[in-house]
Amino acid sequence: MSKQTDNIEHLRQHAKLASEKAHAPYSNFKVGAAIRMHNGDVITGCNVENVSYGLSNCAERTAIFSAIAQGYSAADMATVVVYTPSDQTYAPCGACRQVLAEFLPADAVVSSTSEGAARHWRVGELLPDAFEFDVEAYRKKTL
Ligand code: THU
């Protein structure tokens, strides 16, 4: 197995374990995500649903927000692997793509894995032409 495949399989195992912790009583679709940091640490997340459906949080965003809450920053985040208990793969939703683009570089790999298939993208492919905002430049112009 190549180093890259090895890394993804290792993260898939973490993401699969995380999926078992999901709070998904409405969809019954338990998703897990695992982020590998440049120092080798792995931070995971799962989807957390709400009776007010729109408040539900996907596994990818839970993992990223959890990493931030634990003291990691964008500079630490290297690779994300998502796991769904399925025979197919699912691409990250639009909200997660925006959050992935906030914290991972455009060339970082995001993988969707399951029991039967895997797909890989770069963050920049998931959200081409991402919204970028230079707050300092904007303030200088407007204040
Ligand atoms: N979900 C994720 O956690 N990640 C994805 O990439 C797609 C969807 C969750 C949201 C919701 O709790 C459930 O899967 C069904 O949409």
Side-chain angles (χ1 to χ4, degrees), residues 24 27 29 31 47-49 56-60 82 90-93 96:
S27 72
F29 189 57
V31 186
N47 53 331
V48 182
E49 297 184 345
S56 300
N57 207 60
C58 294
E60 296 90 319
V82 183
Y90 292 86
C93 80
C96 288

Side-chain angles (χ1 to χ4, degrees), residues 37-80:
M37 303 297 163
H38 288 297
N39 72 358
D41 290 352
V42 176
I43 301 297
T44 61
C46 57
N47 53 331
V48 182
E49 297 184 345
N50 192 277
V51 65
S52 177
Y53 293 179
L55 298 181
S56 300
N57 207 60
C58 294
E60 296 90 319
R61 276 175 290 147
T62 304
I64 290 173
F65 297 158
S66 174
I68 294 297
Q70 291 178 53
Y72 296 96
S73 70
D76 297 311
M77 301 189 202
T79 311
V80 178

Side-chain angles (χ1 to χ4, degrees), residues 1 15-16 18 34 36 39 45 47 53 75 80 91 101-102 107 111 116 119 124-125 127 129 133 135 138 141:
M1 229 190 288
K16 184 173 178 173
R36 187 174 56 75
N39 72 358
N47 53 331
Y53 293 179
V80 178
E102 177 86 15
D107 65 353
S111 300
R119 273 171 86 188
E125 286 177 276
L127 192 66
D129 203 15
F133 184 61
V135 68
Y138 186 75
K141 254 195 277 178

